[in-house]
């Protein structure tokens, strides 16, 4: 689908907004699994965060699966998670327990984990500060 978009734009010719549409198409990434993840990527770019890897799979040194992460900055040993909070509605105690164990396993592997929610997307400087603190913690390890 994404491959067809540049052709569709070319067929429109010279129109207002085409340049912006090209930039948006170049930014699209099907690995973003939710609107919140897509908006997070946009906010990251707007505030100058390094581009993350998306949907990285993390294993233990023995090859055991630990997690698939929303965002990863391997060079900084940071995992970023957008929490849309929807997963916590049903059977919340078990979901919270599994999420806590998953995060503990990531930390045991030396990763810093940062999280943000819908409420923080409009003021992403809060997330930027969290990221910067995580970079400092990772350097001290």
């Amino acid at each position: 689908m994404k491959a067809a978009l540049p052709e569709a734009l070319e067929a429109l010719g010279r129109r207002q907004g085409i340049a912006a549409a090209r930039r948006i198409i170049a930014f699209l990434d099907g690995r973003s699994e939710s609107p919140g993840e897509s908006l997070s990527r946009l906010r990251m770019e707007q505030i100058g965060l390094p581009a993350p890897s998306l949907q990285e799979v993390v294993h233990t040194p023995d090859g055991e699966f630990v997690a698939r992460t929303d965002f990863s900055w391997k060079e900084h040993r940071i995992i970023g998670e957008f929490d849309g909070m929807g997963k916590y509605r049903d059977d919340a105690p078990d979901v919270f327990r599994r999420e806590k164990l998953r995060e503990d396993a990531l930390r045991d592997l030396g990763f810093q984990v940062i999280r943000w929610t819908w409420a923080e997307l409009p003021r992403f400087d809060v997330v930027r500060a969290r990221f910067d603190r995580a970079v400092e913690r990772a350097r001290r390890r």
Side-chain angles (χ1 to χ4, degrees), residues 85-100:
M85 305 308 279
K87 65 185 167 191
Y88 301 119
R89 288 187 189 133
D90 300 324
D91 195 22
D94 190 49
V95 172
F96 277 119
R97 183 185 62 78
R98 284 193 314 266
E99 192 66 18
K100 176 65 177 143

mmCIF file of all heavy atoms in Angstrom, residues 85-100:
data_model
loop_
_atom_site.group_PDB
_atom_site.id
_atom_site.type_symbol
_atom_site.label_atom_id
_atom_site.label_comp_id
_atom_site.label_asym_id
_atom_site.label_seq_id
_atom_site.Cartn_x
_atom_site.Cartn_y
_atom_site.Cartn_z
ATOM 1 N N MET A 85 -3.008 2.474 27.660
ATOM 2 C CA MET A 85 -3.766 2.096 28.851
ATOM 3 C C MET A 85 -4.926 1.147 28.566
ATOM 4 O O MET A 85 -5.516 0.624 29.499
ATOM 5 C CB MET A 85 -4.272 3.328 29.622
ATOM 6 C CG MET A 85 -3.162 4.319 30.004
ATOM 7 S SD MET A 85 -1.767 3.586 30.877
ATOM 8 C CE MET A 85 -2.430 3.500 32.523
ATOM 9 N N GLY A 86 -5.245 0.884 27.315
ATOM 10 C CA GLY A 86 -6.352 -0.010 26.994
ATOM 11 C C GLY A 86 -6.139 -1.427 27.488
ATOM 12 O O GLY A 86 -7.078 -2.106 27.893
ATOM 13 N N LYS A 87 -4.893 -1.890 27.486
ATOM 14 C CA LYS A 87 -4.621 -3.270 27.902
ATOM 15 C C LYS A 87 -4.856 -3.491 29.387
ATOM 16 O O LYS A 87 -4.935 -4.614 29.847
ATOM 17 C CB LYS A 87 -3.187 -3.652 27.539
ATOM 18 C CG LYS A 87 -2.128 -2.871 28.258
ATOM 19 C CD LYS A 87 -0.754 -3.246 27.734
ATOM 20 C CE LYS A 87 0.287 -2.253 28.212
ATOM 21 N NZ LYS A 87 1.543 -2.444 27.516
ATOM 22 N N TYR A 88 -4.974 -2.424 30.158
ATOM 23 C CA TYR A 88 -5.138 -2.551 31.594
ATOM 24 C C TYR A 88 -6.598 -2.612 32.030
ATOM 25 O O TYR A 88 -6.889 -2.723 33.205
ATOM 26 C CB TYR A 88 -4.446 -1.391 32.317
ATOM 27 C CG TYR A 88 -2.977 -1.320 32.011
ATOM 28 C CD1 TYR A 88 -2.433 -0.198 31.398
ATOM 29 C CD2 TYR A 88 -2.125 -2.375 32.313
ATOM 30 C CE1 TYR A 88 -1.081 -0.128 31.111
ATOM 31 C CE2 TYR A 88 -0.778 -2.316 32.021
ATOM 32 C CZ TYR A 88 -0.260 -1.191 31.422
ATOM 33 O OH TYR A 88 1.070 -1.124 31.134
ATOM 34 N N ARG A 89 -7.523 -2.539 31.093
ATOM 35 C CA ARG A 89 -8.953 -2.501 31.455
ATOM 36 C C ARG A 89 -9.480 -3.857 31.911
ATOM 37 O O ARG A 89 -10.184 -3.960 32.887
ATOM 38 C CB ARG A 89 -9.772 -2.013 30.265
ATOM 39 C CG ARG A 89 -9.564 -0.548 30.005
ATOM 40 C CD ARG A 89 -10.506 -0.045 28.936
ATOM 41 N NE ARG A 89 -10.123 1.309 28.586
ATOM 42 C CZ ARG A 89 -9.994 1.761 27.365
ATOM 43 N NH1 ARG A 89 -10.275 0.980 26.343
ATOM 44 N NH2 ARG A 89 -9.625 2.989 27.127
ATOM 45 N N ASP A 90 -9.139 -4.904 31.159
ATOM 46 C CA ASP A 90 -9.671 -6.233 31.459
ATOM 47 C C ASP A 90 -8.633 -7.042 32.233
ATOM 48 O O ASP A 90 -7.457 -7.046 31.892
ATOM 49 C CB ASP A 90 -10.032 -6.972 30.170
ATOM 50 C CG ASP A 90 -11.085 -6.233 29.370
ATOM 51 O OD1 ASP A 90 -11.981 -5.637 29.990
ATOM 52 O OD2 ASP A 90 -10.998 -6.240 28.134
ATOM 53 N N ASP A 91 -9.080 -7.736 33.242
ATOM 54 C CA ASP A 91 -8.206 -8.624 34.008
ATOM 55 C C ASP A 91 -6.941 -7.888 34.452
ATOM 56 O O ASP A 91 -5.826 -8.390 34.336
ATOM 57 C CB ASP A 91 -7.865 -9.857 33.170
ATOM 58 C CG ASP A 91 -7.270 -10.972 34.012
ATOM 59 O OD1 ASP A 91 -7.498 -10.976 35.236
ATOM 60 O OD2 ASP A 91 -6.568 -11.828 33.447
ATOM 61 N N ALA A 92 -7.119 -6.680 34.934
ATOM 62 C CA ALA A 92 -6.004 -5.779 35.228
ATOM 63 C C ALA A 92 -4.924 -6.369 36.136
ATOM 64 O O ALA A 92 -3.747 -6.204 35.840
ATOM 65 C CB ALA A 92 -6.528 -4.472 35.794
ATOM 66 N N PRO A 93 -5.251 -7.047 37.233
ATOM 67 C CA PRO A 93 -4.152 -7.533 38.088
ATOM 68 C C PRO A 93 -3.170 -8.429 37.333
ATOM 69 O O PRO A 93 -1.964 -8.280 37.485
ATOM 70 C CB PRO A 93 -4.870 -8.287 39.203
ATOM 71 C CG PRO A 93 -6.226 -7.655 39.269
ATOM 72 C CD PRO A 93 -6.558 -7.303 37.838
ATOM 73 N N ASP A 94 -3.671 -9.326 36.504
ATOM 74 C CA ASP A 94 -2.780 -10.214 35.757
ATOM 75 C C ASP A 94 -1.985 -9.451 34.703
ATOM 76 O O ASP A 94 -0.803 -9.703 34.504
ATOM 77 C CB ASP A 94 -3.585 -11.346 35.106
ATOM 78 C CG ASP A 94 -2.670 -12.414 34.543
ATOM 79 O OD1 ASP A 94 -1.758 -12.854 35.272
ATOM 80 O OD2 ASP A 94 -2.852 -12.788 33.363
ATOM 81 N N VAL A 95 -2.618 -8.485 34.049
ATOM 82 C CA VAL A 95 -1.928 -7.681 33.040
ATOM 83 C C VAL A 95 -0.834 -6.856 33.699
ATOM 84 O O VAL A 95 0.295 -6.794 33.201
ATOM 85 C CB VAL A 95 -2.925 -6.773 32.284
ATOM 86 C CG1 VAL A 95 -2.196 -5.799 31.374
ATOM 87 C CG2 VAL A 95 -3.906 -7.611 31.483
ATOM 88 N N PHE A 96 -1.122 -6.240 34.832
ATOM 89 C CA PHE A 96 -0.118 -5.457 35.549
ATOM 90 C C PHE A 96 1.054 -6.348 35.974
ATOM 91 O O PHE A 96 2.213 -5.957 35.856
ATOM 92 C CB PHE A 96 -0.721 -4.785 36.793
ATOM 93 C CG PHE A 96 -1.426 -3.498 36.503
ATOM 94 C CD1 PHE A 96 -2.776 -3.352 36.773
ATOM 95 C CD2 PHE A 96 -0.740 -2.410 35.980
ATOM 96 C CE1 PHE A 96 -3.428 -2.160 36.513
ATOM 97 C CE2 PHE A 96 -1.382 -1.215 35.722
ATOM 98 C CZ PHE A 96 -2.735 -1.092 35.987
ATOM 99 N N ARG A 97 0.744 -7.521 36.474
ATOM 100 C CA ARG A 97 1.790 -8.446 36.934
ATOM 101 C C ARG A 97 2.709 -8.831 35.779
ATOM 102 O O ARG A 97 3.934 -8.754 35.892
ATOM 103 C CB ARG A 97 1.157 -9.695 37.563
ATOM 104 C CG ARG A 97 2.181 -10.675 38.134
ATOM 105 C CD ARG A 97 1.512 -11.947 38.646
ATOM 106 N NE ARG A 97 0.841 -12.679 37.600
ATOM 107 C CZ ARG A 97 1.460 -13.454 36.699
ATOM 108 N NH1 ARG A 97 2.756 -13.554 36.688
ATOM 109 N NH2 ARG A 97 0.762 -14.101 35.778
ATOM 110 N N ARG A 98 2.122 -9.217 34.643
ATOM 111 C CA ARG A 98 2.926 -9.608 33.472
ATOM 112 C C ARG A 98 3.771 -8.442 32.965
ATOM 113 O O ARG A 98 4.935 -8.612 32.610
ATOM 114 C CB ARG A 98 2.029 -10.130 32.349
ATOM 115 C CG ARG A 98 1.507 -11.525 32.589
ATOM 116 C CD ARG A 98 0.887 -12.137 31.333
ATOM 117 N NE ARG A 98 -0.009 -11.249 30.620
ATOM 118 C CZ ARG A 98 -1.329 -11.203 30.772
ATOM 119 N NH1 ARG A 98 -1.924 -12.010 31.624
ATOM 120 N NH2 ARG A 98 -2.059 -10.358 30.072
ATOM 121 N N GLU A 99 3.186 -7.254 32.956
ATOM 122 C CA GLU A 99 3.915 -6.075 32.484
ATOM 123 C C GLU A 99 5.076 -5.747 33.427
ATOM 124 O O GLU A 99 6.167 -5.390 32.980
ATOM 125 C CB GLU A 99 2.961 -4.882 32.346
ATOM 126 C CG GLU A 99 3.534 -3.724 31.604
ATOM 127 C CD GLU A 99 3.814 -4.005 30.126
ATOM 128 O OE1 GLU A 99 3.273 -4.973 29.558
ATOM 129 O OE2 GLU A 99 4.591 -3.235 29.544
ATOM 130 N N LYS A 100 4.862 -5.882 34.701
ATOM 131 C CA LYS A 100 5.921 -5.630 35.684
ATOM 132 C C LYS A 100 7.058 -6.640 35.508
ATOM 133 O O LYS A 100 8.233 -6.264 35.509
ATOM 134 C CB LYS A 100 5.336 -5.692 37.101
ATOM 135 C CG LYS A 100 6.349 -5.547 38.197
ATOM 136 C CD LYS A 100 6.984 -4.171 38.192
ATOM 137 C CE LYS A 100 7.950 -4.037 39.351
ATOM 138 N NZ LYS A 100 9.125 -3.270 39.005
#
